[in-house]
Amino acid sequence: FEAKKTEHNTILHHFHTSDINGDGKLDFMEFQEIVNFLIPNLERRTVLKLFRQGGYENVNGEIELAPEMFAAILKPFLATHKRRIQ
């Protein structure tokens, strides 16, 4: 349990570090930067698919990703790529 909690907190730390404009959500560019850091050389369309999987459309028609959805989609994806969160 403690290891999963630590992993979750580390993922959220990555989220907040990547949230350049500090609005509490990631746009695609912010998301792409952190995913490429964690999993180098991942295809852009795969990154986009992941982003759309957890993102939602805001009032301006832009897709955003909230912290908990970021963690929810990233944890299993990293597990399938045998990557540990650092």
Side-chain angles (χ1 to χ4, degrees):
F1 175 75
E2 199 61 36
K4 287 186 182 225
K5 184 178 177 184
T6 300
E7 178 186 44
H8 185 77
N9 289 340
T10 302
I11 288 174
L12 291 180
H13 171 76
H14 282 297
F15 176 93
H16 294 295
T17 301
S18 299
D19 182 16
I20 303 301
N21 63 3
D23 65 355
K25 302 169 212 92
L26 297 183
D27 61 27
F28 179 69
M29 297 301 286
E30 293 168 327
F31 179 75
Q32 184 177 22
E33 185 174 319
I34 189 58
V35 171
N36 286 337
F37 172 75
L38 295 171
I39 308 169
N41 304 317
L42 194 61
E43 290 184 17
R44 179 180 162 82
R45 71 176 169 195
T46 303
V47 176
L48 184 57
K49 182 179 175 183
L50 274 175
F51 182 71
R52 288 184 174 161
Q53 181 180 349
Y56 63 92
E57 192 172 322
N58 66 18
V59 294
N60 298 324
E62 303 163 332
I63 297 176
E64 300 176 325
L65 188 61
E68 291 303 321
M69 286 306 298
F70 175 76
I73 64 171
L74 201 59
K75 277 194 272 188
F77 190 78
L78 289 170
T80 63
H81 284 79
K82 309 253 187 285
R83 301 278 184 182
R84 293 197 59 203
I85 296 295
Q86 305 173 32

